[in-house]
Amino acid sequence: CTDMKDFKWQQSPGKSVVEATPLGEGIVPLDAYLKLYRELNLTGPMSVHHEYAPFEKNPKPLTKDEQRTQFAVWLKKDMAVLKAAMARNGVS
């Protein structure tokens, strides 16, 4: 299994911390990773991680219904980004 997620460095006084982001919005070189994935002839499931706001850090708490709705929107977006990157790099 390979885990798919993205992140960016968030600067805070005296240190840098990881901030999870939607796929394609961080610093992970998704195309380079998938090119290598194909070249190594890897197979198996991919697990897409959703560890970004509003579930991790949110100034306004969401109801369970709002969370479910927002999660579906983000899941569809991340899957579209991943599928497009896989197609560009010949990964099926």
Side-chain angles (χ1 to χ4, degrees), residues 42-64:
L42 298 176
T43 60
M46 288 187 180
S47 174
V48 179
H49 288 235
H50 303 276
E51 299 166 343
Y52 41 85
F55 305 109
E56 296 296 311
K57 297 186 288 185
N58 187 9
K60 175 188 166 279
L62 299 177
T63 67
K64 291 295 180 186

Side-chain angles (χ1 to χ4, degrees), residues 55 62-70:
F55 305 109
L62 299 177
T63 67
K64 291 295 180 186
D65 285 340
E66 289 171 326
Q67 286 181 4
R68 279 190 287 275
T69 299
Q70 189 62 54

Side-chain angles (χ1 to χ4, degrees), residues 22 50 52-55 69-79:
H50 303 276
Y52 41 85
F55 305 109
T69 299
Q70 189 62 54
F71 182 78
V73 169
W74 284 337
L75 177 61
K76 288 177 184 176
K77 182 181 175 197
D78 275 355
M79 293 309 298

